[in-house]
Amino acid sequence: MTRELTASFVTLSGAGFAQPARVPFAERCRAAAAAGFTGIGLHTDDYRLMRDARASDASLHEVLGTHGLALREIEFLSGWATAGTGTGGADTVAAVGALGEAFRPHHVTAGEFTADELDIDVAGARLRTICDEVAACGLRVAVEAFPWSGLKDVATARAVVEASGAPNAGLMIDVWHFYNTRSSLADLDGLPPDRIVAVQLNDGRVVDDDFLTEARQGRLLSGDGELDIAGLLLGLHERGFRGPYCVEVNYPGYRDLPVDEMAAQAFATASKALEALPAH
């Protein structure tokens, strides 16, 4: 059974995390479609750079349409959850809103990069504010746990989502982060399946320290690491999750490849990982 896949921004950017894309948007779209992807992701920073270069929403729509792609994922909302922060950078929220209005993506990812103290109720209220701001354009907010972060695991991210009470809030389950936050499928027991907004496919290894470096240097293609991807996917399937699935891969060597090779490898390995799932 063929399942639709979205190429997350860094997967085809040809650059490291938090770095400007090496590969132009049109080339990413062409390569993604040729490999078999039906969706693509975009970072708000990349969107700003393209707008500064006088790319219009109409021109981006034309590129997407030419290749039969949908813009499905936006990244990244931070600076909202932990003590001393607000509800996220105003410029970023504005860019998310603009993208939401223009392209109607499925979701925007949200999380925290700092290990500052987190109050569940306060973070939930801040998440609700963000969710309310983007609800009008149909966006869901996918909260992602990072092992170095105040949002330290799936259980914490779930608690914040539930505290928000926002109908368009849910979880992003990233394979690498799931295992490196020492999360478990039990953390998802009783959670309605529609509260899992999306899953990001990748591989790697479990480490004990320097999580940030490993996440940015060792987020491997599915099947190239030691993580139990099949176990996680089957567990999510048993809990009612049926997609969407994204691919988020980026590591030295891979990101230096021609974009067509990046796209082909990302699609083929993710598709193989999804073969573990039942047809229905």
Side-chain angles (χ1 to χ4, degrees):
M1 177 180 177
T2 301
R3 289 179 169 85
E4 292 189 347
L5 284 168
T6 291
S8 294
F9 169 69
V10 297
T11 302
L12 300 181
S13 73
F17 285 82
Q19 296 177 351
R22 170 177 63 85
V23 181
F25 181 71
E27 284 298 294
R28 282 176 262 157
C29 288
R30 181 194 57 74
F37 288 99
T38 57
I40 198 162
L42 186 64
H43 199 287
T44 54
D45 289 344
D46 195 45
Y47 180 58
R48 289 191 197 100
L49 288 173
M50 288 192 287
R51 293 300 296 267
D52 289 346
R54 301 187 180 279
S56 66
D57 289 342
S59 67
L60 300 184
H61 268 293
E62 183 177 358
V63 170
L64 291 165
T66 296
H67 300 291
L69 291 177
L71 180 62
R72 291 220 182 94
E73 180 178 75
I74 307 172
E75 297 189 297
F76 186 85
L77 284 171
S78 62
W80 56 271
T82 55
T85 59
T87 55
D91 289 346
T92 299
V93 174
V96 167
L99 281 162
E101 288 290 343
F103 298 95
R104 300 282 163 162
H106 180 262
H107 63 269
V108 57
T109 54
E112 282 299 344
F113 292 110
T114 72
D116 293 346
E117 182 181 355
L118 182 143
D119 181 294
I120 297 295
D121 291 332
V122 172
R126 290 169 172 170
L127 177 61
R128 180 60 187 251
T129 298
I130 291 170
C131 287
D132 288 348
E133 288 185 24
V134 302
C137 52
L139 266 174
R140 301 199 65 195
V141 180
V143 179
E144 188 172 8
F146 299 155
W148 61 84
S149 163
L151 282 164
K152 62 182 179 178
D153 51 33
V154 166
T156 303
R158 175 180 178 174
V160 171
V161 166
E162 292 176 336
S164 78
N168 56 330
L171 299 176
M172 170 64 76
I173 303 296
D174 174 290
V175 173
W176 190 93
H177 287 304
F178 182 86
Y179 286 110
N180 276 281
T181 57
R182 296 350 189 229
S183 297
S184 72
L185 286 164
D187 296 325
L188 300 170
D189 287 348
L191 183 71
D194 65 355
R195 286 291 185 169
I196 301 173
V197 176
V199 167
Q200 288 179 332
L201 299 168
N202 47 54
D203 207 336
R205 62 189 182 118
V206 175
V207 295
D208 294 319
D209 54 23
D210 206 1
F211 294 108
L212 182 58
T213 298
E214 184 69 18
R216 294 182 171 183
Q217 305 291 337
R219 200 92 64 91
L220 305 179
L221 293 160
S222 298
D224 282 359
E226 58 190 40
L227 303 178
D228 184 9
I229 305 172
L232 176 56
L233 293 180
L234 286 168
L236 294 172
H237 190 273
E238 289 168 1
R239 286 160 174 78
F241 179 75
R242 297 294 183 271
Y245 298 94
C246 308
V247 182
E248 187 173 62
V249 172
N250 189 293
Y251 58 90
Y254 169 83
R255 59 186 175 236
D256 295 331
L257 293 171
V259 66
D260 294 277
E261 291 185 36
M262 287 191 285
Q265 291 185 24
F267 184 83
T269 54
S271 297
K272 184 173 180 59
L274 291 173
E275 290 177 0
L277 295 176
H280 300 289

